[in-house]
């Protein structure tokens, strides 16, 4: 099928590669000329484990190309995925400007389309946004809704760092449909996927996505709250989780306690859902506490360091800057707040991350960046592990010898072999 993908952010690019890998003919569009040039050269505009090889392959086989014109991308497309960003302000209000502008461009492109096409919303939006904001703009194309154009909400559940695998092997495919014709057409795109398909309404699909991300974030804040108790009474939260998750009613995933959640999705989506719930006059106190607990959790590791050394006169190594391993994305990464706190307290910070240093330089330009974790540990008074990159598991006793003070505080659980007296966990002994 011919697929247009509007927006080459993280999700849009991952989808473009994924659908091309499924042998669909994909044209992606973005206003950013540099991103489109990169894509047409077969390069990913960001780092993502495993995706780099697929983009080269798809572009060279002619299955994927980029354009700065959405009208061009939409021409002749069977399905048009709307995958632009939906930033959320401090008050939780979603900024729908990109959605509206992209929908206008899609409407212009649809004017020229001779056959029926479906617009599928991938961007995360709160319930009723498609009905109240997107559809009225699409109707400006002059095409008849339901006859000449169809509309679906088709949320994406892939995670950064494991994008391609998640895209190709989803737990479920949710198709919120304007009508049966729209859903039937979109379902054809997924004909080769081995996953249950749930057909539902537009606003139901929008809320399934918001509720999924918010529930996962809730699991994390919940387990961090229990983890903080574990720390106080000298037990390991991971032992507790193992025992709790043996109950078949409780699922083990997203119960990894640590420095809290970051990224471009959970922090934003939970705030947007809180605002949506409160705007309707309902209570959102559980989700409000999910956010508050997470905000406190992110810098808890600095409070722990404060009890161990005199931070104001110290050099602290930060290992890991991205919000999770496998990506160079630092959006809402706990490392941003941790570095700010350490700087406020007068520490010198040496940071290392295998992929995210260039991005963190834009946020924290004044700290020292080093080439590997060994250099970071050398002559430092303590190290904080903020991202569980697998390479940090190689840290050994020899590395500790190069530190002024052999102390590592772990914000993420690692499996390395160093003496217990040199390591402390954020929510484990
Ligand atoms: C999340 C969802 O997991 C995806 O299903 C969804 O498609 C995506 O948001 C989105 O809305 O686009 P992502 O933010 O890429 O994906 O990454 P996650 O693996 O969910 O991790 C988010 C944060 O939670 C990370 O900072 C991670 O370190 C933290 N986390 C995750 C924990 O602290 N504990 C856990 O047990 C799991």
């Amino acid at each position: 099928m011919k697929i247009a993908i509007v927006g080459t952010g993280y999700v849009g690019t991952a989808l473009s590669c994924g659908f091309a890998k499924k042998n669909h003919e994909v044209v992606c569009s973005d206003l950013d000329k540099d991103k489109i040039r990169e894509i047409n050269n077969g390069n990913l505009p960001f780092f993502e484990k495993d995706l780099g090889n697929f983009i080269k392959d798809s572009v060279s086989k002619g299955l994927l190309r980029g354009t700065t014109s959405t009208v061009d991308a939409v021409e002749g497309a069977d399905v048009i995925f709307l995958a632009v960003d939906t930033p959320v302000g401090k008050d939780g209000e979603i900024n729908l400007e990109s959605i509206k502008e992209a929908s206008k461009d899609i409407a212009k492109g649809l004017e020229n389309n001779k056959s029926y096409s479906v617009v599928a919303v991938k961007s995360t939006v709160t319930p009723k946004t498609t009905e109240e904001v997107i559809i009225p703009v699409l109707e400006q194309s002059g095409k008849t809704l339901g006859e000449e154009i169809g509309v679906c909400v088709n949320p994406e559940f892939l995670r950064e760092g494991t994008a391609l695998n998640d895209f190709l092997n989803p737990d479920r495919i949710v198709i919120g449909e304007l009508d049966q014709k729209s859903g039937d057409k979109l379902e054809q795109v997924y004909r080769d996927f081995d996953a249950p398909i749930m057909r539902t309404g537009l606003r139901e699909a929008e809320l399934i996505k918001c509720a999924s991300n918010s529930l996962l974030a809730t699991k994390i804040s919940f387990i961090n709250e229990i983890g903080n108790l574990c720390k106080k009474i000298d037990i390991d939260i991971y032992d507790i989780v193992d025992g709790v998750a043996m109950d078949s009613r409780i699922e083990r995933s997203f119960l990894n306690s640590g420095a809290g959640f970051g990224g471009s999705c959970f922090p934003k989506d939970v705030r947007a859902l809180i605002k949506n719930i409160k705007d309707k006059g309902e209570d959102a106190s559980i989700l409000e506490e999910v956010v508050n607990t997470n905000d406190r959790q992110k810098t808890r590791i600095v409070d722990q360091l404060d009890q161990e050394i005199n931070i104001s006169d110290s050099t602290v190594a930060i290992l890991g800057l991205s919000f999770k391993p496998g990506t160079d994305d630092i959006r809402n990464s706990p490392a941003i707040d941790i570095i700010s706190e350490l700087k406020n307290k007068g520490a010198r910070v040496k940071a290392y991350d295998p992929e995210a240093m260039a991005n963190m330089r834009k946020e924290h330009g004044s700290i020292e960046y080093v080439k590997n974790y060994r250099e970071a540990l050398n002559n430092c008074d303590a190290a904080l592990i903020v991202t569980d990159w697998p390479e940090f598991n190689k840290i050994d006793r020899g590395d500790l010898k190069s530190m002024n003070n052999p102390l590592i505080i772990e914000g993420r659980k690692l499996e390395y072999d160093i003496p217990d007296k040199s390591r402390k966990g954020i929510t484990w002994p």
Side-chain angles (χ1 to χ4, degrees), residues 10-11 124 156-161 209 213 216 220 224 252-266 269 323-325 334 388 412:
Y10 188 81
V11 170
T124 302
E156 185 50 59
F157 300 102
L158 60 79
R159 292 162 297 174
E160 293 191 29
K209 169 68 192 230
N213 272 6
L216 292 170
I220 298 169
N224 282 336
R252 168 64 182 83
S253 61
F254 282 74
L255 291 175
N256 290 328
S257 178
F261 58 79
S264 64
C265 304
F266 288 173
D269 295 348
F323 82 97
K324 62 182 287 189
D388 42 345
R412 307 285 177 195

Side-chain angles (χ1 to χ4, degrees), residues 84 86 94 122-126 156 209-210 213 268-269:
V84 295
T86 46
I94 301 189
K122 277 282 179 197
S123 305
T124 302
V125 289
T126 46
E156 185 50 59
K209 169 68 192 230
C210 298
N213 272 6
K268 156 179 101 65
D269 295 348

Side-chain angles (χ1 to χ4, degrees), residues 157 172 207-223 249-251 253-255 261 265-267 269-271 273-274 277 286-287 290-291:
F157 300 102
R172 81 300 208 186
L207 188 52
I208 286 170
K209 169 68 192 230
C210 298
S212 294
N213 272 6
S214 295
L215 180 55
L216 292 170
T218 303
K219 287 183 84 175
I220 298 169
S221 277
F222 171 79
I223 210 62
R249 295 167 301 176
I250 300 174
E251 225 268 305
S253 61
F254 282 74
L255 291 175
F261 58 79
C265 304
F266 288 173
D269 295 348
V270 179
R271 289 208 315 280
L273 186 55
I274 292 171
I277 293 172
I286 290 181
L287 291 180
V290 167
V291 172

